[in-house]
Amino acid sequence: LSVPPEIPKEDGRPKWDNKFQYILSCIGFAVGLGNVWRFPYLCQIHGGGAFLIPYFIALLFEGIPLLYLELALGQCLRKGSIGAWNTISPYLGGVGVGSWMVSVLVSLYYNTVLTWVMWYFINSFQEPLPWSVCPLNENRTGLNKECYESTAVNYFWYRKTLNITPDVTESGTLQWWLILCLATCWAIVYLCTIRGIETTGKAIYVTAIFPYLVLTIFLIQGLTLPGATDGLAYLFTPNLSTLKNPRVWLDAATQIFFSLSLAFGGLIAFSSYNPPKNDCEKDAVTVAVVNSLTSLYASIPVFSVLGFKATTGYWDCLDRNIISIINEFDLPEESIMRQNYTTWISFLNSSYPEKIAGLKLKSCDFQEFLDQSVSGTGLAFIIFTQAIILMPGSQAWAILFFIMLFSLGLSSMFGNIEGVFTPLLELRIISKSIPKELLSGIICLISFLIALCFTLGSGSYWIDIFDRYAGSLPLLVIAFFEVIGVVYVYKIKRFSKDVKRMTGRNLNLYWQITWRFISPLLLLIVFVAFVVLQIQKSPSYAAWNPKYEGFPMKEEKVYPPWVLAICVLLAILPCVFVPLVALFQLIKRMRRSKEPSFVPPEVFSCQGANG
Amino acid sequence: YTWDANEEYLFKAMVAFAMRKYSRKSTTQISNVLLCNVTDRVSFWFVVTDSSKNVTTVPGSEVEAAIRMNRNRINSAFLLSDKTLQFLKITSTLSPPVEPSTPVWLIVFGVVLCLIVAAIVFLVVAGIQQRKKKNKESTERENLEEKGEVTVENGIPCEALDLKAGHVNGVFAADDERFTSL
């Protein structure tokens, strides 16, 4: 009689090599481009340090509870999003399908943003950087007109990279250089996700840790730049009066929600590969806290660099004025310096006002330079690239910066692709004989072909549309149904028993209250506020039109009706699966109940779902 | 450096040099270049006289052309550039940005793409080889089971139980006999 000791139950499910890989994957998924280019912007426009208050409140009552819910769910049921929600209740299967749909839509456009990053990266090896000089016009008499009127950086972004059309309805042609970069990006994604978490688990060591290294380097470099302290002071000076504006609270709630990448199904997929007895409570708190701290950490170098850029812009403005004044009044060199500029200007204005007026000096206001706040792609590809030109050794800084952005985006892409890949693997439609490599190859190939639309001239307008409509509203709906589903359909008592089996602890009061009341309520409020704000103004977009009178300002245009229809479709499509599947299951059940051999559906629980 | 009479002398010399090179006569002397209205800003007017033609001034267009031809020599004499040494009414011609024959980005792109394709091919081939090996092993084991050479219990071959994964319980295995004798 010999009893074999714990040979693990072979259910054929892949698992993480170690716990660190799992935590790193979750952190990499949560920490993305938004931490670098959206959080600092929100801090800036919502009163600096004061924004941290609604941000941490939202983290406490919305972010961490929802994150714990998803991780516990995946670990308990050990299935991807579609399978997990089908297990919870057949009526809630639509939640899983909705998650899957959102992951598909977001993967499509997110990789195109990485394409732009890659394009800038491979252009950073040139000396001088191609976005620092304007090309000449055709007859070599002067600079290219579009470039001259805006700036070289703007020109490189809008013309050389995007080749943007003036209107969303004009599609333009496919840009071959973007197609090459898109193919490369999808090849990289395929390479890293070729065998599911076996390969992403190895790749994540690099893509999740490297951005922190680069952020530290930029932090050190940024703090040594002139004007960095002004930028930081501007960012962090709290202005508590902004807290009265409900918009601030809404932005904090949405930022936490989207920053943690909830409701994509990727987190459920990641935790489904865990061993059943894993402390997911500690994991959830760790991931959420690291994500927020990363946002804060990233905003320091971003704002040092922005402060530096504002300072150099201000100094350039001053220098140009000083040269004109010195030329006009024939004063000796270095008589007017930046420090005594204001005294000189007031003196000259009182003594020779007509001459000063004739010079047409531009008013240099430092605050105005600092106030130019941008978020999103504008921050990375226009503002930051301009600042990099001014730093010594700009090639190295550009290369580092774009590799960092690429790693940040790639680790988020892993989560998105897992959210698509894992449920497909579990569907019985896909037979076991298709090797994983082939399935991931097919997914990447189809996504590449669809994403070719984003390489058209109007591609960036479409990406904005996808980002605003597919990547925002459906997530709120799905998350709301997630919480309601687990707490009220699956019943929280059952879930706490499952959680106790996994973590060894009871659900304490904080989780009970947030799961039962606070988080669903918060989600509902945020959803309603979001919809109301969207409906209030007719959706418009800013177009880059060289023929516009106010060029280089962007032209405000309204979406034509067919584009609006697509926006609504994108927002509704994932959400509509929730009632659709419920209805479908109801009809199936009613039809089955008419037959005499009606068997009541089995009661699923975590124990039953294992193995 | 400070602007003094020596620098003015150098300037006159450079202008004379430019005029000589342009018109190819060796008659222009330093004394032909006259500076006036020198200000603290270091800005002044200058004229070039022609000593052979009754002390008249050389036309401005000739002077302009001469200076334009030798602009970079004049600049480097003073360690200045087009921006810091300005001749009013003489615009500098713009030099086109350097364009290498193959765009640099294509080269980098080629390198990156080759690396990625190589890695993908390697992983796919490794996966296929692993699958073939696993298939061969499982068919071998099935053959052995059919022949009865390997007993399997609970899906685990007994050899593995005996040798590696199992523990022999000393209490029951007294006398080194693991199986009861018949």
Side-chain angles (χ1 to χ4, degrees):
Chain A
L1 179 75
S2 53
V3 180
E6 289 135 38
I7 294 174
K9 209 194 287 188
E10 298 289 326
D11 59 355
R13 198 172 178 76
K15 26 187 221 299
W16 298 105
D17 287 344
N18 51 52
K19 173 123 185 226
F20 185 56
Q21 231 179 43
Y22 159 65
I23 297 275
L24 217 53
S25 297
C26 290
I27 292 179
F29 185 32
V31 171
L33 296 168
N35 294 67
V36 169
W37 69 35
R38 183 136 173 92
F39 178 78
Y41 164 74
L42 286 177
C43 253
Q44 183 191 356
I45 61 171
H46 288 319
F51 180 68
L52 294 176
I53 300 178
Y55 184 72
F56 277 110
I57 293 182
L59 178 69
L60 217 56
F61 291 117
E62 193 193 342
I64 299 184
L66 287 172
L67 187 63
Y68 184 29
L69 190 80
E70 288 213 3
L71 291 182
L73 195 70
Q75 190 174 303
C76 164
L77 296 173
R78 312 202 76 211
K79 292 220 179 94
S81 56
I82 300 185
W85 289 103
N86 269 327
T87 313
I88 291 263
S89 156
Y91 296 110
L92 283 178
V95 178
V97 180
S99 285
W100 184 84
M101 192 85 240
V102 172
S103 282
V104 169
L105 291 174
V106 171
S107 303
L108 287 177
Y109 80 79
Y110 204 79
N111 218 15
T112 316
V113 177
L114 286 185
T115 307
W116 298 335
V117 174
M118 162 147 280
W119 166 253
Y120 267 79
F121 166 69
I122 59 183
N123 270 301
S124 310
F125 288 88
Q126 212 172 318
E127 159 82 28
L129 290 171
W131 54 82
S132 57
V133 286
C134 270
L136 301 176
N137 56 18
E138 282 98 25
N139 39 10
R140 298 261 196 103
T141 51
L143 301 170
N144 180 302
K145 179 159 173 285
E146 188 181 346
C147 187
Y148 181 70
E149 282 172 16
S150 56
T151 58
V153 191
N154 274 326
Y155 177 75
F156 187 74
W157 169 237
Y158 287 110
R159 192 52 51 208
K160 280 284 162 62
T161 307
L162 299 174
N163 201 7
I164 206 167
T165 54
D167 196 284
V168 72
T169 48
E170 292 173 39
S171 303
T173 51
L174 290 170
Q175 318 303 324
W176 62 273
W177 57 91
L178 282 183
I179 297 183
L180 286 181
C181 292
L182 186 72
T184 316
C185 283
W186 275 110
I188 295 180
V189 169
Y190 177 52
L191 172 68
C192 295
T193 56
I194 194 167
R195 289 206 205 107
I197 63 165
E198 287 168 44
T199 39
T200 60
K202 314 270 187 317
I204 201 83
Y205 285 120
V206 173
T207 59
I209 299 189
F210 187 72
Y212 288 97
L213 281 175
V214 177
L215 274 177
T216 312
I217 298 176
F218 263 98
L219 181 80
I220 301 175
Q221 153 78 347
L223 288 175
T224 61
L225 294 169
T229 35
D230 294 309
L232 285 175
Y234 181 66
L235 167 69
F236 284 120
T237 326
N239 178 11
L240 289 165
S241 60
T242 53
L243 292 181
K244 296 193 211 108
N245 181 6
R247 191 67 205 266
V248 177
W249 295 87
L250 178 67
D251 276 339
T254 46
Q255 171 63 13
I256 269 290
F257 184 74
F258 298 133
S259 174
L260 283 172
S261 309
L262 299 165
F264 277 91
L267 289 166
I268 297 183
F270 279 156
S271 58
S272 71
Y273 297 116
N274 268 340
K277 289 210 191 308
N278 175 47
D279 192 349
C280 39
E281 185 177 349
K282 247 200 297 198
D283 299 338
V285 177
T286 311
V287 171
V289 167
V290 168
N291 180 50
S292 299
L293 288 180
T294 307
S295 296
L296 274 174
Y297 188 60
S299 51
I300 301 181
V302 167
F303 265 85
S304 320
V305 171
L306 286 181
F308 164 67
K309 181 172 173 299
T311 307
T312 37
Y314 177 61
W315 284 353
D316 276 341
C317 182
L318 280 183
D319 286 343
R320 260 179 283 134
N321 288 356
I322 290 176
I323 292 276
S324 337
I325 295 178
I326 289 185
N327 277 342
E328 179 71 18
F329 289 95
D330 275 337
L331 301 162
E333 196 72 40
E334 293 193 7
S335 53
I336 308 185
M337 298 298 293
R338 294 182 192 134
Q339 293 91 323
N340 47 16
Y341 171 79
T342 31
T343 40
W344 267 101
I345 249 286
S346 45
F347 164 66
L348 289 171
N349 232 344
S350 47
S351 8
Y352 311 95
E354 327 80 35
K355 267 195 172 180
I356 293 285
L359 281 178
K360 291 206 206 0
L361 297 172
K362 221 166 114 169
S363 73
C364 299
D365 182 14
F366 183 54
Q367 206 52 31
E368 195 186 309
F369 281 101
L370 271 181
D371 275 334
Q372 291 167 359
S373 54
V374 195
S375 82
T377 50
L379 179 71
F381 298 117
I382 298 182
I383 308 275
F384 233 78
T385 44
Q386 201 161 18
I388 286 179
I389 303 176
L390 303 164
M391 294 185 206
S394 11
Q395 263 94 1
W397 296 115
I399 292 174
L400 270 180
F401 179 63
F402 289 116
I403 295 190
M404 175 188 82
L405 285 188
F406 194 76
S407 310
L408 280 174
L410 195 64
S411 50
S412 301
M413 268 306 281
F414 291 161
N416 280 324
I417 293 285
E418 269 313 309
V420 175
F421 193 47
T422 306
L424 281 181
L425 271 182
E426 290 157 6
L427 281 182
R428 270 171 267 127
I429 306 175
I430 316 261
S431 72
K432 287 269 154 49
S433 65
I434 294 188
K436 272 195 248 185
E437 288 92 337
L438 193 62
L439 181 63
S440 48
I442 293 176
I443 293 179
C444 289
L445 187 66
I446 295 181
S447 311
F448 165 66
L449 291 173
I450 300 182
L452 281 177
C453 314
F454 294 122
T455 57
L456 289 168
S458 53
S460 83
Y461 298 133
W462 285 106
I463 290 193
D464 274 333
I465 291 177
F466 267 69
D467 193 31
R468 251 196 274 177
Y469 295 102
S472 58
L473 212 66
L475 293 172
L476 292 168
V477 171
I478 291 171
F480 178 72
F481 280 107
E482 279 189 4
V483 183
I484 298 289
V486 169
V487 170
Y488 295 110
V489 175
Y490 187 75
K491 297 289 191 309
I492 195 168
K493 280 208 177 41
R494 240 162 89 197
F495 198 60
S496 25
K497 269 201 240 136
D498 298 326
V499 166
K500 177 159 186 186
R501 216 171 16 87
M502 291 193 293
T503 64
R505 291 191 294 276
N506 269 322
L507 267 188
N508 62 29
L509 197 62
Y510 164 65
W511 303 114
Q512 301 260 3
I513 297 185
T514 47
W515 281 357
R516 262 192 239 247
F517 312 115
I518 302 189
S519 295
L521 194 64
L522 260 180
L523 279 173
L524 200 62
I525 296 177
V526 168
F527 173 71
V528 169
F530 210 78
V531 171
V532 163
L533 271 171
Q534 289 289 334
I535 293 183
Q536 259 179 2
K537 48 179 175 70
S538 64
S540 65
Y541 66 106
W544 180 263
N545 187 3
K547 297 201 183 50
Y548 178 51
E549 310 99 36
F551 190 75
M553 301 297 292
K554 293 218 202 143
E555 189 181 351
E556 284 288 325
K557 287 193 181 170
V558 183
Y559 287 126
W562 66 274
V563 175
L564 271 179
I566 295 186
C567 300
V568 171
L569 185 71
L570 281 175
I572 301 243
L573 187 66
C575 313
V576 87
F577 279 104
V578 178
L580 258 180
V581 170
L583 206 65
F584 176 67
Q585 291 287 344
L586 197 68
I587 295 178
K588 211 162 84 168
R589 219 249 211 138
M590 287 201 305
R591 219 186 295 153
R592 214 194 289 166
S593 68
K594 294 202 187 116
E595 295 168 12
S597 59
F598 167 57
V599 179
E602 302 161 37
V603 171
F604 290 103
S605 77
C606 277
Q607 288 109 330
N610 267 342
Chain B
Y1 50 82
T2 44
W3 187 265
D4 53 12
N6 298 329
E7 306 288 341
E8 283 183 20
Y9 191 79
L10 179 61
F11 182 78
K12 290 187 203 176
M14 292 308 295
V15 174
F17 163 76
M19 291 304 298
R20 282 198 188 195
K21 265 205 122 169
Y22 177 70
S23 53
R24 262 166 263 208
K25 322 188 274 227
S26 346
T27 51
T28 325
Q29 306 287 334
I30 290 183
S31 46
N32 287 82
V33 184
L34 304 167
L35 271 58
C36 30
N37 281 4
V38 185
T39 61
D40 276 339
R41 173 75 184 90
V42 197
S43 68
F44 44 82
W45 293 93
F46 69 96
V47 288
V48 183
T49 55
D50 196 347
S51 43
S52 59
K53 290 197 191 135
N54 287 354
V55 204
T56 49
T57 54
V58 177
S61 49
E62 261 189 64
V63 181
E64 266 179 47
I67 293 190
R68 191 178 257 144
M69 208 174 84
N70 298 294
R71 187 67 189 269
N72 64 329
R73 299 292 296 273
I74 302 180
N75 281 351
S76 46
F78 289 99
L79 306 172
L80 294 171
S81 67
D82 275 4
K83 268 206 190 140
T84 36
L85 175 62
Q86 271 179 320
F87 289 90
L88 297 173
K89 287 196 225 143
I90 300 183
T91 51
S92 41
T93 46
L94 300 162
S95 60
V98 175
E99 295 253 358
S101 50
T102 20
V104 176
W105 70 266
L106 260 180
I107 301 176
V108 179
F109 171 75
V111 168
V112 169
L113 195 62
C114 284
L115 283 173
I116 294 171
V117 168
I120 291 180
V121 166
F122 169 71
L123 276 180
V124 168
V125 166
I128 296 179
Q129 276 183 346
Q130 222 175 39
R131 208 175 301 272
K132 265 199 226 150
K133 207 166 42 156
K134 228 193 300 181
N135 276 340
K136 212 167 38 155
E137 266 181 22
S138 62
T139 44
E140 271 181 19
R141 181 167 306 154
E142 276 172 25
N143 290 340
L144 285 175
E145 276 182 19
E146 283 173 15
K147 290 187 199 153
E149 283 182 16
V150 176
T151 39
V152 180
E153 197 163 320
N154 272 350
I156 306 158
C158 284
E159 298 152 339
L161 280 179
D162 278 348
L163 300 170
K164 297 177 210 141
H167 285 300
V168 174
N169 193 328
V171 176
F172 288 106
D175 304 332
D176 272 329
E177 269 186 18
R178 287 201 229 132
F179 302 104
T180 48
S181 50
L182 290 165

